[in-house]
Amino acid sequence: MKNILFIASEGVPFIKTGGLADVVGSLPQCIDKKYFDVRVMMPKYMCMYQDKKDMMKYLTHFYMDYNGKREYVGVLEAEYNGVRYYFIDNEFYFNGDKPYGNIIYDLEKFIFFDKAALSALPLIGFKPDIVHCHDWQTGLIPVYLKDSFRGGDFFKDIKSIMTIHNLKFQGTYDVPTIKGLSGLPDYYFAPDKLEAYKDANMLKGGIVFADVITTVSETYAEEIKTEFYGEKLDGLLKARANDLRGIVNGIDYDVFDPEKDDLITRRYNKKNFRKEKVKNKLALQEELGLAQDEKTMMIGIVSRLTGQKGFDLIAYIMEELCHDNVQIVVLGTGEDKYENMFRYFDWKFGDRVSANIYYSEELSHKIYASSDAFLMPSLFEPCGLSQLMALRYGTVPIVRETGGLKDTVSAYNEYEGTGTGFSFTNYNAHEMLGAIRYAEHIYYDRKREWNKIIDRDMAADFSWHVSASKYMEMYDWLIG
Ligand code: ADP
Ligand code: GLC
């Protein structure tokens, strides 16, 4: 039996702000339990829902020196869908109404977490062969494993994997602050280690010191070696290219299943979607106060409202698009300028635009099930899970050809009768509008063709099946 420990800052069903939580929640369940004992460790945030906290049992606690103080570290555990979860508890660091806030507090919080997570392992008696770290919040773990946690039998053979879910966020601050918090010696704060452009960079530490680096699609693994996508780490990623690979994410096909979904109005499947899917649209139109018409093309958006997701393109052509015969349903939170843009268009075009500026699992499922098309014109997209959810619900994605969007959505080709969605190449608003209008044309004028696209969408398989076996091969290879 080989032991794998996922260490991450969020994971479904306990806490979620984005796709990272979906991956940390679903991938471990798909790793073969005959060969691997996979467990997951994350902070116990005060803002977790009470029913999730009620699932946790106290395991042990200890005290750890950190930032000049003696800090309490509690360890709790829970079992969920056959996977064991550990939670690191400290009410000072993990308080607040959301997992992330101001960068300086976040740094102090996650450096504490990284140190506490490793320190807890001997006490809970789980010795991983591999710690599988996710994003900048866990960037110091590979560093610590080569440094202060190296001595003694327990830690010395532990291998580390750093998975990059989003290179944009790196956990960067001035050197004295990170040196002080981490307790790492001067040696590490040089440009070939944690230092980047005069500052200290936690993700860079993870990338330099992990045994293997992965990211969440093959295209993104290539893109991040270029200046445009490399977020100033392209040089380092090129240097580590032999240890870097892309494995595309999957989604949990039990949670996202139009045939079994409790959150949607009318369930449907590959065979009956032609008659049944539209009942979801009619119900959602009523619920959101849109004009009720089963024929009108509904375009859905479920997203963090940030520049990454291409909202500058949408802002540019939104007025024009609202004059087409479409309805636009948005669910998301994020930057004020995008939230307010959608609120404005909702006010101006009330019967055709619905802006829902909040977080809701339930509404997200309803949008995936009800919409005819799903718009995701990202500037960059490491993988993207929303388009996979759309495909699963027979909702045709309209995407920009970047990162995981490029790897998971194939462009409709009317001559060959192939493709699962509509796409465009350049980050250009009218190129996007062209793709949306082409989709409108197929939807309104060639309905049979449109339905065949849905056939292909619902037949596609983006469950974890294939990708989980790639992770298992990698674990095997790394453990040797
Ligand atoms: P990212 O991780 O960059 O935000 P992904 O596409 O990988 O993008 O994952 C986003 C996840 O978050 C999806 O599961 C999506 O349904 C969900 N999501 C985003 N915004 C909301 C929201 N306002 N309400 C509910 N779910 C949301
Ligand atoms: C990040 C990326 C997204 C990816 C998710 C899970 O949040 O922005 O593209 O799907 O992580 O890997």
Side-chain angles (χ1 to χ4, degrees), residues 9 65 73 116 133 219 290 298 303 315 334 339 361 377 388 415 425 443 458 473 477:
S9 58
D65 288 338
V73 183
C133 305
T219 292
L290 295 166
M298 181 185 279
S303 181
E339 293 189 345
E361 212 74 50
L388 304 182
Y415 307 103
T425 312
Y443 174 85
M458 295 186 76
E473 278 166 30
W477 168 83

mmCIF file with all atom_site columns, all heavy atoms in Angstrom, residues 9 65 73 116 133 219 290 298 303 315 334 339 361 377 388 415 425 443 458 473 477:
data_model
loop_
_atom_site.group_PDB
_atom_site.id
_atom_site.type_symbol
_atom_site.label_atom_id
_atom_site.label_alt_id
_atom_site.label_comp_id
_atom_site.label_asym_id
_atom_site.label_entity_id
_atom_site.label_seq_id
_atom_site.pdbx_PDB_ins_code
_atom_site.Cartn_x
_atom_site.Cartn_y
_atom_site.Cartn_z
_atom_site.occupancy
_atom_site.B_iso_or_equiv
_atom_site.pdbx_formal_charge
_atom_site.auth_seq_id
_atom_site.auth_comp_id
_atom_site.auth_asym_id
_atom_site.auth_atom_id
_atom_site.pdbx_PDB_model_num
ATOM 1   N N   . SER A 1 9   ? -5.738  24.123 0.349   1.00 0.00 ? 9   SER A N   1
ATOM 2   C CA  . SER A 1 9   ? -6.421  25.156 1.126   1.00 0.00 ? 9   SER A CA  1
ATOM 3   C C   . SER A 1 9   ? -7.942  25.056 1.034   1.00 0.00 ? 9   SER A C   1
ATOM 4   O O   . SER A 1 9   ? -8.650  25.757 1.750   1.00 0.00 ? 9   SER A O   1
ATOM 5   C CB  . SER A 1 9   ? -5.971  26.538 0.662   1.00 0.00 ? 9   SER A CB  1
ATOM 6   O OG  . SER A 1 9   ? -6.233  26.687 -0.722  1.00 0.00 ? 9   SER A OG  1
ATOM 7   N N   . ASP A 1 65  ? 6.135   26.376 17.639  1.00 0.00 ? 65  ASP A N   1
ATOM 8   C CA  . ASP A 1 65  ? 6.688   27.734 17.625  1.00 0.00 ? 65  ASP A CA  1
ATOM 9   C C   . ASP A 1 65  ? 6.445   28.344 16.257  1.00 0.00 ? 65  ASP A C   1
ATOM 10  O O   . ASP A 1 65  ? 6.806   27.760 15.232  1.00 0.00 ? 65  ASP A O   1
ATOM 11  C CB  . ASP A 1 65  ? 8.203   27.697 17.870  1.00 0.00 ? 65  ASP A CB  1
ATOM 12  C CG  . ASP A 1 65  ? 8.493   27.356 19.318  1.00 0.00 ? 65  ASP A CG  1
ATOM 13  O OD1 . ASP A 1 65  ? 7.590   27.577 20.164  1.00 0.00 ? 65  ASP A OD1 1
ATOM 14  O OD2 . ASP A 1 65  ? 9.600   26.864 19.599  1.00 0.00 ? 65  ASP A OD2 1
ATOM 15  N N   . VAL A 1 73  ? -1.988  23.924 17.728  1.00 0.00 ? 73  VAL A N   1
ATOM 16  C CA  . VAL A 1 73  ? -2.359  23.258 16.473  1.00 0.00 ? 73  VAL A CA  1
ATOM 17  C C   . VAL A 1 73  ? -3.260  22.066 16.815  1.00 0.00 ? 73  VAL A C   1
ATOM 18  O O   . VAL A 1 73  ? -2.807  21.084 17.396  1.00 0.00 ? 73  VAL A O   1
ATOM 19  C CB  . VAL A 1 73  ? -1.129  22.727 15.702  1.00 0.00 ? 73  VAL A CB  1
ATOM 20  C CG1 . VAL A 1 73  ? -1.558  22.113 14.363  1.00 0.00 ? 73  VAL A CG1 1
ATOM 21  C CG2 . VAL A 1 73  ? -0.104  23.820 15.469  1.00 0.00 ? 73  VAL A CG2 1
ATOM 22  N N   . ALA A 1 116 ? 2.483   23.505 10.131  1.00 0.00 ? 116 ALA A N   1
ATOM 23  C CA  . ALA A 1 116 ? 1.649   22.690 11.023  1.00 0.00 ? 116 ALA A CA  1
ATOM 24  C C   . ALA A 1 116 ? 1.282   21.362 10.362  1.00 0.00 ? 116 ALA A C   1
ATOM 25  O O   . ALA A 1 116 ? 1.260   20.310 11.010  1.00 0.00 ? 116 ALA A O   1
ATOM 26  C CB  . ALA A 1 116 ? 0.389   23.462 11.402  1.00 0.00 ? 116 ALA A CB  1
ATOM 27  N N   . CYS A 1 133 ? 0.853   18.588 -3.222  1.00 0.00 ? 133 CYS A N   1
ATOM 28  C CA  . CYS A 1 133 ? 0.531   19.953 -2.806  1.00 0.00 ? 133 CYS A CA  1
ATOM 29  C C   . CYS A 1 133 ? -0.174  20.707 -3.926  1.00 0.00 ? 133 CYS A C   1
ATOM 30  O O   . CYS A 1 133 ? 0.101   20.470 -5.104  1.00 0.00 ? 133 CYS A O   1
ATOM 31  C CB  . CYS A 1 133 ? 1.814   20.713 -2.468  1.00 0.00 ? 133 CYS A CB  1
ATOM 32  S SG  . CYS A 1 133 ? 2.807   19.866 -1.242  1.00 0.00 ? 133 CYS A SG  1
ATOM 33  N N   . THR A 1 219 ? -2.442  21.756 -22.512 1.00 0.00 ? 219 THR A N   1
ATOM 34  C CA  . THR A 1 219 ? -2.177  23.040 -23.177 1.00 0.00 ? 219 THR A CA  1
ATOM 35  C C   . THR A 1 219 ? -1.628  24.064 -22.186 1.00 0.00 ? 219 THR A C   1
ATOM 36  O O   . THR A 1 219 ? -0.676  24.785 -22.488 1.00 0.00 ? 219 THR A O   1
ATOM 37  C CB  . THR A 1 219 ? -3.448  23.563 -23.866 1.00 0.00 ? 219 THR A CB  1
ATOM 38  O OG1 . THR A 1 219 ? -3.743  22.680 -24.946 1.00 0.00 ? 219 THR A OG1 1
ATOM 39  C CG2 . THR A 1 219 ? -3.266  24.961 -24.422 1.00 0.00 ? 219 THR A CG2 1
ATOM 40  N N   . LEU A 1 290 ? -37.588 36.124 -16.211 1.00 0.00 ? 290 LEU A N   1
ATOM 41  C CA  . LEU A 1 290 ? -37.292 36.356 -17.627 1.00 0.00 ? 290 LEU A CA  1
ATOM 42  C C   . LEU A 1 290 ? -38.537 36.034 -18.449 1.00 0.00 ? 290 LEU A C   1
ATOM 43  O O   . LEU A 1 290 ? -39.430 35.328 -17.977 1.00 0.00 ? 290 LEU A O   1
ATOM 44  C CB  . LEU A 1 290 ? -36.141 35.448 -18.076 1.00 0.00 ? 290 LEU A CB  1
ATOM 45  C CG  . LEU A 1 290 ? -34.793 35.710 -17.412 1.00 0.00 ? 290 LEU A CG  1
ATOM 46  C CD1 . LEU A 1 290 ? -33.842 34.548 -17.677 1.00 0.00 ? 290 LEU A CD1 1
ATOM 47  C CD2 . LEU A 1 290 ? -34.195 37.022 -17.906 1.00 0.00 ? 290 LEU A CD2 1
ATOM 48  N N   . MET A 1 298 ? -30.991 30.482 -24.447 1.00 0.00 ? 298 MET A N   1
ATOM 49  C CA  . MET A 1 298 ? -30.503 30.960 -23.154 1.00 0.00 ? 298 MET A CA  1
ATOM 50  C C   . MET A 1 298 ? -29.000 30.686 -23.055 1.00 0.00 ? 298 MET A C   1
ATOM 51  O O   . MET A 1 298 ? -28.549 29.567 -23.254 1.00 0.00 ? 298 MET A O   1
ATOM 52  C CB  . MET A 1 298 ? -31.245 30.263 -22.014 1.00 0.00 ? 298 MET A CB  1
ATOM 53  C CG  . MET A 1 298 ? -30.799 30.735 -20.632 1.00 0.00 ? 298 MET A CG  1
ATOM 54  S SD  . MET A 1 298 ? -31.587 29.812 -19.286 1.00 0.00 ? 298 MET A SD  1
ATOM 55  C CE  . MET A 1 298 ? -33.164 30.643 -19.194 1.00 0.00 ? 298 MET A CE  1
ATOM 56  N N   . SER A 1 303 ? -19.486 31.777 -12.822 1.00 0.00 ? 303 SER A N   1
ATOM 57  C CA  . SER A 1 303 ? -18.059 32.069 -12.800 1.00 0.00 ? 303 SER A CA  1
ATOM 58  C C   . SER A 1 303 ? -17.666 33.020 -11.681 1.00 0.00 ? 303 SER A C   1
ATOM 59  O O   . SER A 1 303 ? -18.479 33.819 -11.223 1.00 0.00 ? 303 SER A O   1
ATOM 60  C CB  . SER A 1 303 ? -17.695 32.718 -14.142 1.00 0.00 ? 303 SER A CB  1
ATOM 61  O OG  . SER A 1 303 ? -16.333 33.001 -14.219 1.00 0.00 ? 303 SER A OG  1
ATOM 62  N N   . ALA A 1 315 ? -18.046 42.681 -21.553 1.00 0.00 ? 315 ALA A N   1
ATOM 63  C CA  . ALA A 1 315 ? -18.434 44.074 -21.306 1.00 0.00 ? 315 ALA A CA  1
ATOM 64  C C   . ALA A 1 315 ? -18.466 44.858 -22.624 1.00 0.00 ? 315 ALA A C   1
ATOM 65  O O   . ALA A 1 315 ? -19.350 45.677 -22.853 1.00 0.00 ? 315 ALA A O   1
ATOM 66  C CB  . ALA A 1 315 ? -17.461 44.720 -20.322 1.00 0.00 ? 315 ALA A CB  1
ATOM 67  N N   . GLY A 1 334 ? -17.418 38.658 -7.633  1.00 0.00 ? 334 GLY A N   1
ATOM 68  C CA  . GLY A 1 334 ? -16.023 38.994 -7.891  1.00 0.00 ? 334 GLY A CA  1
ATOM 69  C C   . GLY A 1 334 ? -15.803 40.490 -7.933  1.00 0.00 ? 334 GLY A C   1
ATOM 70  O O   . GLY A 1 334 ? -16.306 41.212 -7.069  1.00 0.00 ? 334 GLY A O   1
ATOM 71  N N   . GLU A 1 339 ? -19.508 42.871 -11.528 1.00 0.00 ? 339 GLU A N   1
ATOM 72  C CA  . GLU A 1 339 ? -20.792 42.696 -10.832 1.00 0.00 ? 339 GLU A CA  1
ATOM 73  C C   . GLU A 1 339 ? -21.751 43.798 -11.262 1.00 0.00 ? 339 GLU A C   1
ATOM 74  O O   . GLU A 1 339 ? -22.904 43.543 -11.609 1.00 0.00 ? 339 GLU A O   1
ATOM 75  C CB  . GLU A 1 339 ? -20.589 42.753 -9.306  1.00 0.00 ? 339 GLU A CB  1
ATOM 76  C CG  . GLU A 1 339 ? -19.793 41.585 -8.729  1.00 0.00 ? 339 GLU A CG  1
ATOM 77  C CD  . GLU A 1 339 ? -19.789 41.562 -7.200  1.00 0.00 ? 339 GLU A CD  1
ATOM 78  O OE1 . GLU A 1 339 ? -20.154 42.584 -6.578  1.00 0.00 ? 339 GLU A OE1 1
ATOM 79  O OE2 . GLU A 1 339 ? -19.405 40.512 -6.627  1.00 0.00 ? 339 GLU A OE2 1
ATOM 80  N N   . GLU A 1 361 ? -24.871 26.899 -5.034  1.00 0.00 ? 361 GLU A N   1
ATOM 81  C CA  . GLU A 1 361 ? -24.720 25.576 -5.637  1.00 0.00 ? 361 GLU A CA  1
ATOM 82  C C   . GLU A 1 361 ? -25.968 25.230 -6.449  1.00 0.00 ? 361 GLU A C   1
ATOM 83  O O   . GLU A 1 361 ? -25.896 24.784 -7.586  1.00 0.00 ? 361 GLU A O   1
ATOM 84  C CB  . GLU A 1 361 ? -24.576 24.566 -4.483  1.00 0.00 ? 361 GLU A CB  1
ATOM 85  C CG  . GLU A 1 361 ? -23.723 23.368 -4.766  1.00 0.00 ? 361 GLU A CG  1
ATOM 86  C CD  . GLU A 1 361 ? -22.241 23.729 -4.768  1.00 0.00 ? 361 GLU A CD  1
ATOM 87  O OE1 . GLU A 1 361 ? -21.750 24.379 -3.817  1.00 0.00 ? 361 GLU A OE1 1
ATOM 88  O OE2 . GLU A 1 361 ? -21.595 23.361 -5.750  1.00 0.00 ? 361 GLU A OE2 1
ATOM 89  N N   . PRO A 1 377 ? -15.278 32.777 -22.156 1.00 0.00 ? 377 PRO A N   1
ATOM 90  C CA  . PRO A 1 377 ? -14.273 33.289 -23.107 1.00 0.00 ? 377 PRO A CA  1
ATOM 91  C C   . PRO A 1 377 ? -12.952 33.668 -22.434 1.00 0.00 ? 377 PRO A C   1
ATOM 92  O O   . PRO A 1 377 ? -12.401 34.725 -22.703 1.00 0.00 ? 377 PRO A O   1
ATOM 93  C CB  . PRO A 1 377 ? -14.970 34.534 -23.653 1.00 0.00 ? 377 PRO A CB  1
ATOM 94  C CG  . PRO A 1 377 ? -15.787 35.039 -22.490 1.00 0.00 ? 377 PRO A CG  1
ATOM 95  C CD  . PRO A 1 377 ? -16.140 33.852 -21.635 1.00 0.00 ? 377 PRO A CD  1
ATOM 96  N N   . LEU A 1 388 ? -16.918 21.685 -18.434 1.00 0.00 ? 388 LEU A N   1
ATOM 97  C CA  . LEU A 1 388 ? -17.135 20.230 -18.351 1.00 0.00 ? 388 LEU A CA  1
ATOM 98  C C   . LEU A 1 388 ? -18.518 19.934 -17.776 1.00 0.00 ? 388 LEU A C   1
ATOM 99  O O   . LEU A 1 388 ? -19.194 18.985 -18.184 1.00 0.00 ? 388 LEU A O   1
ATOM 100 C CB  . LEU A 1 388 ? -16.059 19.575 -17.476 1.00 0.00 ? 388 LEU A CB  1
ATOM 101 C CG  . LEU A 1 388 ? -14.601 19.823 -17.880 1.00 0.00 ? 388 LEU A CG  1
ATOM 102 C CD1 . LEU A 1 388 ? -13.654 19.083 -16.946 1.00 0.00 ? 388 LEU A CD1 1
ATOM 103 C CD2 . LEU A 1 388 ? -14.366 19.390 -19.323 1.00 0.00 ? 388 LEU A CD2 1
ATOM 104 N N   . TYR A 1 415 ? -19.294 20.996 -41.818 1.00 0.00 ? 415 TYR A N   1
ATOM 105 C CA  . TYR A 1 415 ? -19.096 20.153 -43.008 1.00 0.00 ? 415 TYR A CA  1
ATOM 106 C C   . TYR A 1 415 ? -18.895 18.703 -42.628 1.00 0.00 ? 415 TYR A C   1
ATOM 107 O O   . TYR A 1 415 ? -19.337 17.791 -43.310 1.00 0.00 ? 415 TYR A O   1
ATOM 108 C CB  . TYR A 1 415 ? -17.916 20.685 -43.826 1.00 0.00 ? 415 TYR A CB  1
ATOM 109 C CG  . TYR A 1 415 ? -18.092 22.151 -44.135 1.00 0.00 ? 415 TYR A CG  1
ATOM 110 C CD1 . TYR A 1 415 ? -17.386 23.120 -43.427 1.00 0.00 ? 415 TYR A CD1 1
ATOM 111 C CD2 . TYR A 1 415 ? -19.040 22.558 -45.086 1.00 0.00 ? 415 TYR A CD2 1
ATOM 112 C CE1 . TYR A 1 415 ? -17.596 24.467 -43.680 1.00 0.00 ? 415 TYR A CE1 1
ATOM 113 C CE2 . TYR A 1 415 ? -19.254 23.909 -45.330 1.00 0.00 ? 415 TYR A CE2 1
ATOM 114 C CZ  . TYR A 1 415 ? -18.538 24.858 -44.629 1.00 0.00 ? 415 TYR A CZ  1
ATOM 115 O OH  . TYR A 1 415 ? -18.756 26.179 -44.862 1.00 0.00 ? 415 TYR A OH  1
ATOM 116 N N   . THR A 1 425 ? -10.246 32.120 -31.370 1.00 0.00 ? 425 THR A N   1
ATOM 117 C CA  . THR A 1 425 ? -8.834  32.055 -31.016 1.00 0.00 ? 425 THR A CA  1
ATOM 118 C C   . THR A 1 425 ? -8.323  33.282 -30.278 1.00 0.00 ? 425 THR A C   1
ATOM 119 O O   . THR A 1 425 ? -7.726  33.179 -29.213 1.00 0.00 ? 425 THR A O   1
ATOM 120 C CB  . THR A 1 425 ? -7.984  31.892 -32.296 1.00 0.00 ? 425 THR A CB  1
ATOM 121 O OG1 . THR A 1 425 ? -8.566  30.853 -33.069 1.00 0.00 ? 425 THR A OG1 1
ATOM 122 C CG2 . THR A 1 425 ? -6.556  31.514 -31.965 1.00 0.00 ? 425 THR A CG2 1
ATOM 123 N N   . TYR A 1 443 ? -28.373 27.197 -33.686 1.00 0.00 ? 443 TYR A N   1
ATOM 124 C CA  . TYR A 1 443 ? -29.475 26.941 -32.747 1.00 0.00 ? 443 TYR A CA  1
ATOM 125 C C   . TYR A 1 443 ? -30.836 27.257 -33.388 1.00 0.00 ? 443 TYR A C   1
ATOM 126 O O   . TYR A 1 443 ? -31.777 26.470 -33.303 1.00 0.00 ? 443 TYR A O   1
ATOM 127 C CB  . TYR A 1 443 ? -29.273 27.763 -31.468 1.00 0.00 ? 443 TYR A CB  1
ATOM 128 C CG  . TYR A 1 443 ? -30.431 27.672 -30.500 1.00 0.00 ? 443 TYR A CG  1
ATOM 129 C CD1 . TYR A 1 443 ? -30.515 26.615 -29.588 1.00 0.00 ? 443 TYR A CD1 1
ATOM 130 C CD2 . TYR A 1 443 ? -31.452 28.629 -30.510 1.00 0.00 ? 443 TYR A CD2 1
ATOM 131 C CE1 . TYR A 1 443 ? -31.585 26.525 -28.703 1.00 0.00 ? 443 TYR A CE1 1
ATOM 132 C CE2 . TYR A 1 443 ? -32.515 28.540 -29.630 1.00 0.00 ? 443 TYR A CE2 1
ATOM 133 C CZ  . TYR A 1 443 ? -32.585 27.485 -28.727 1.00 0.00 ? 443 TYR A CZ  1
ATOM 134 O OH  . TYR A 1 443 ? -33.644 27.392 -27.867 1.00 0.00 ? 443 TYR A OH  1
ATOM 135 N N   . MET A 1 458 ? -23.086 15.120 -24.530 1.00 0.00 ? 458 MET A N   1
ATOM 136 C CA  . MET A 1 458 ? -23.499 14.223 -23.441 1.00 0.00 ? 458 MET A CA  1
ATOM 137 C C   . MET A 1 458 ? -22.824 12.858 -23.535 1.00 0.00 ? 458 MET A C   1
ATOM 138 O O   . MET A 1 458 ? -22.778 12.121 -22.554 1.00 0.00 ? 458 MET A O   1
ATOM 139 C CB  . MET A 1 458 ? -25.028 14.103 -23.407 1.00 0.00 ? 458 MET A CB  1
ATOM 140 C CG  . MET A 1 458 ? -25.676 15.442 -23.066 1.00 0.00 ? 458 MET A CG  1
ATOM 141 S SD  . MET A 1 458 ? -27.464 15.392 -22.836 1.00 0.00 ? 458 MET A SD  1
ATOM 142 C CE  . MET A 1 458 ? -27.605 14.647 -21.211 1.00 0.00 ? 458 MET A CE  1
ATOM 143 N N   . GLU A 1 473 ? -0.252  6.437  -12.220 1.00 0.00 ? 473 GLU A N   1
ATOM 144 C CA  . GLU A 1 473 ? 1.027   6.077  -12.873 1.00 0.00 ? 473 GLU A CA  1
ATOM 145 C C   . GLU A 1 473 ? 2.155   6.961  -12.363 1.00 0.00 ? 473 GLU A C   1
ATOM 146 O O   . GLU A 1 473 ? 3.271   6.498  -12.115 1.00 0.00 ? 473 GLU A O   1
ATOM 147 C CB  . GLU A 1 473 ? 0.934   6.283  -14.389 1.00 0.00 ? 473 GLU A CB  1
ATOM 148 C CG  . GLU A 1 473 ? 0.293   5.149  -15.138 1.00 0.00 ? 473 GLU A CG  1
ATOM 149 C CD  . GLU A 1 473 ? -0.055  5.591  -16.566 1.00 0.00 ? 473 GLU A CD  1
ATOM 150 O OE1 . GLU A 1 473 ? 0.646   6.459  -17.125 1.00 0.00 ? 473 GLU A OE1 1
ATOM 151 O OE2 . GLU A 1 473 ? -1.067  5.076  -17.086 1.00 0.00 ? 473 GLU A OE2 1
ATOM 152 N N   . TRP A 1 477 ? 5.497   5.757  -10.378 1.00 0.00 ? 477 TRP A N   1
ATOM 153 C CA  . TRP A 1 477 ? 6.797   6.061  -10.940 1.00 0.00 ? 477 TRP A CA  1
ATOM 154 C C   . TRP A 1 477 ? 7.652   6.830  -9.936  1.00 0.00 ? 477 TRP A C   1
ATOM 155 O O   . TRP A 1 477 ? 8.834   6.541  -9.737  1.00 0.00 ? 477 TRP A O   1
ATOM 156 C CB  . TRP A 1 477 ? 6.596   6.848  -12.236 1.00 0.00 ? 477 TRP A CB  1
ATOM 157 C CG  . TRP A 1 477 ? 7.833   7.455  -12.774 1.00 0.00 ? 477 TRP A CG  1
ATOM 158 C CD1 . TRP A 1 477 ? 8.772   6.837  -13.551 1.00 0.00 ? 477 TRP A CD1 1
ATOM 159 C CD2 . TRP A 1 477 ? 8.303   8.784  -12.561 1.00 0.00 ? 477 TRP A CD2 1
ATOM 160 N NE1 . TRP A 1 477 ? 9.794   7.704  -13.829 1.00 0.00 ? 477 TRP A NE1 1
ATOM 161 C CE2 . TRP A 1 477 ? 9.534   8.913  -13.237 1.00 0.00 ? 477 TRP A CE2 1
ATOM 162 C CE3 . TRP A 1 477 ? 7.793   9.899  -11.866 1.00 0.00 ? 477 TRP A CE3 1
ATOM 163 C CZ2 . TRP A 1 477 ? 10.268  10.105 -13.235 1.00 0.00 ? 477 TRP A CZ2 1
ATOM 164 C CZ3 . TRP A 1 477 ? 8.517   11.071 -11.869 1.00 0.00 ? 477 TRP A CZ3 1
ATOM 165 C CH2 . TRP A 1 477 ? 9.746   11.164 -12.549 1.00 0.00 ? 477 TRP A CH2 1
#
